[in-house]
């Protein structure tokens, strides 16, 4: 069984966190809902996995946390997608790889498109850092929650990506 809370994460906005007894099983960026739970509400509606996830997401958004330790529950993901998510967790904070490079690291050189499709099914973006995978030409590439969120996440990590004109730019938000 799983339950969810809505929290405000500075820089990222309202985030819906879903967790089971095993770990975080969903992260969703909520546009324009105005819905969030303050710390007191979180205390009454959730357990230690939620508290840890919220704490780590807030530290990440400030540019302090480099690696998540909160457990994840990816039992809903199977097969090739599970392998892709395991591989993308190896991409370090502040670094990027292309879809093709990730496919090659998995020993599936011609599976770049399949890797991209699998990343789009990632139920726990940020914690499983699919935002660190970009196009081979250095531009952003897609993101299930939208490219603006992806650019914010890359900005937090101070990653430079190319804009449409081919100029290197930081993502949109850099921690203060």
């Amino acid at each position: 069984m799983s339950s969810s809370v809505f929290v405000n994460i500075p820089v990222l906005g309202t985030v819906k966190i879903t967790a089971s007894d095993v770990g975080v099983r969903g992260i969703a960026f909520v546009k324009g809902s105005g819905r969030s739970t303050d710390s007191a509400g979180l205390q009454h509606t959730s357990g230690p996995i939620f508290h840890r996830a919220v704490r780590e997401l807030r530290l990440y958004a400030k540019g302090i946390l480099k690696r998540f330790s909160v457990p994840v529950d990816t039992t809903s993901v199977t097969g090739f997608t599970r392998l892709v998510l395991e591989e993308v967790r190896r991409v370090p904070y502040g670094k990027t790889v292309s879809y093709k490079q990730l496919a090659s690291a998995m020993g599936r050189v011609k599976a770049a498109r399949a890797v991209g499709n699998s990343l789009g099914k990632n139920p726990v973006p940020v914690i499983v850092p699919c935002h660190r995978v970009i196009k081979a030409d250095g531009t952003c590439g897609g993101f299930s929650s939208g490219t603006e969120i992806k650019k914010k996440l890359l900005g937090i990590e101070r990653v430079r990506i190319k804009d449409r004109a081919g100029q290197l730019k930081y993502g949109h938000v850099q921690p203060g």
Side-chain angles (χ1 to χ4, degrees), residues 82-91 102 105-106:
R82 180 179 292 273
L83 296 174
V84 170
L85 297 184
E86 288 171 6
E87 189 65 35
V88 79
R89 288 192 90 171
R90 293 185 178 102
V91 180
L102 193 64
M106 297 174 59

Side-chain angles (χ1 to χ4, degrees), residues 16 20 80 126 143-144:
K16 178 183 177 185
S20 68
F80 182 75
V126 186
F143 191 64
S144 62

